[in-house]
Amino acid sequence: MTKKLFILALMIAMCIPQVCSAQAGKSNNFRIKRGTNVSHWLSQSEQRGEARRLHIQEDDFARLEELGFDFVRLPIDEVQFWDEQSNKLPEAWELLNNALNWSRNHNLRAIVDLHIIRSHYFNAVNESDQAANTLFTSEKAQEDLLNLWRQLSDFLKWRSCDWVAYEFMNEPVADEHEQWNQLVAKVHKALRELEPQRTLVIGSNRWQGHETMKYLKVPEGDKNIILSFHYYNPMILTHYGAWWSPLCAAYKGKVHYPGVLVSKEDYDAAPDAIKADLKPYTEEVWNIDKIREQFKDAIEAAKKYDLQLFCGEWGVYEPVDRELAYNWYRDMLTVFDEFNIAWTTWCYDADFGFWDQQRHSYKDRPLVELLMSGKGLEK
C-alpha cells in the first residue's frame, strides 16, 4: 500500500463510528473510579435556549480531566428530551451529543442517567405527590419507559461501549421490591436486544439505598452491569439546613462528626415537633466504622454477582460547616478505596458542588483536593 493510500485508509477508519460490539458475554473496558454528576443542566432545571446551552461547555469537561476525574454521570429528564406528545425536542439531544463528544475529547467516560420521567419522580413522596408515580402500576407507563430507552439507544448506540454506559433510571421508589425487579428485567431485556454489550448501571429500590441492595435481582451471566447505590447518611449532617428536608430545615442546633451527632442539650432545646425524628441522632455514634457497616449489603451484592460497585450520589450540602463536611468526605473516600467502589459526587456546580458556574471559579477548592487525594483509576 502506498503512503497516500495508507493515510486515506486511516482517515476513513477514523470517521467510522465506534459501534458497540455485539459480542454478548464479552466484558467491556468501561473502567471507572472517581467522577462527578454534571447535574441541574439537562435535568432538574428550567433553563432553556441560550441559558441552557451556555450553562455547561467544553471547558467544564477539560477542567474535570485536569483535576483528575476519570468519568461523569449525566442526568437527563424526559421533559427536556420529549414533549408531552412524545416528540423529540432537538436542542436537548444536541446538547447531550456535545457533552458526550466533550467527555471523549477529555478522556472522561460517561454514564447517561435517565433521572426523572413523567411517570416517576423519586422525590414525589416527600412532596405529597406520590399519586403522580404511575410507573409501577401502569403497563403503559412501563412501555413508555422502554420506548424512551429504545430511542436513546438508537441515538447513542454508535458510541463505544468502553466510553458510554446507560443507567436505567434514578432512585426508583416502588412499594414492593419485586415491582422494581420485574421492571429491571424488562428494561434489561429490551436493551440487550438492541445492544448486547453496552454497560448498564442498575440501582436498588427505594432511592438506591444501600439497605435495599440485598433485595435487588440482577440479570445473571451479564458481566457488563454496574451496581449502583446512593449514600447521604447521616442526613442531619449532609443535609443540615436543607429547605426541602423538614427535619434538617427545622433543626438549628449543632451537629458533630465523628461521634454522637446531636448533644442532649441541643436535643432538649429543639422544637418538640421534630424530637421523634431527631432522637436517633442522639443515640448512635457515627464514624468510619458506621459507614463500613452500612455499606455491607451493597458490597456483598457486588461480590455475589462479581460486578463493579458504584456510589452514584454522595455529598454534603454547601452551607454545612466545612470541617465537619471534610471529616465525612475523608471517611467516605477511605471506605471507597478499601472496597474499590467507584463514585460520582453530587455534584459539580449546584448546591452540593465545588465549582461556581456563575462566577466561573472554585467555591470549594479544598474539597477538590480532598477528593483527588484518594485512589485514581488504575492504569
Side-chain angles (χ1 to χ4, degrees), residues 8 33 36 49 94 104 110 115 130 146 166 170 179 201 244 285 318 336 349 352 362 376-378:
L8 178 61
K33 184 61 174 73
T36 192
E94 179 186 346
R104 185 65 185 89
H115 207 69
Q130 184 65 12
L146 297 181
Y166 305 160
N170 178 70
Q179 291 176 303
V201 179
W244 62 92
V285 173
E318 184 181 338
F336 287 152
D349 74 317
F352 282 64
Y362 289 100
L377 190 62
E378 295 181 3

Side-chain angles (χ1 to χ4, degrees), residues 77-105:
D77 287 354
E78 180 182 357
V79 296
Q80 292 213 35
F81 284 76
W82 293 269
D83 65 19
E84 292 188 4
Q85 287 72 47
S86 301
N87 300 308
K88 287 184 178 179
L89 299 170
E91 186 182 83
W93 293 83
E94 179 186 346
L95 294 176
L96 176 60
N97 192 58
N98 290 345
L100 293 174
N101 287 340
W102 296 334
S103 297
R104 185 65 185 89
N105 291 346

Side-chain angles (χ1 to χ4, degrees), residues 40 43 45-46 102 112 145 183 196 206 210 213 220 224 235 241 247 287 306 311 318 329 363 376:
H40 298 84
S43 170
S45 172
E46 298 300 321
W102 296 334
V112 178
L145 172 62
L183 186 54
R206 301 199 64 78
H210 62 90
M213 187 68 80
E220 298 203 24
N224 291 313
M235 290 284 287
L247 174 62
N287 54 27
D306 190 24
C311 185
E318 184 181 338
Y329 276 110
K363 58 184 176 183

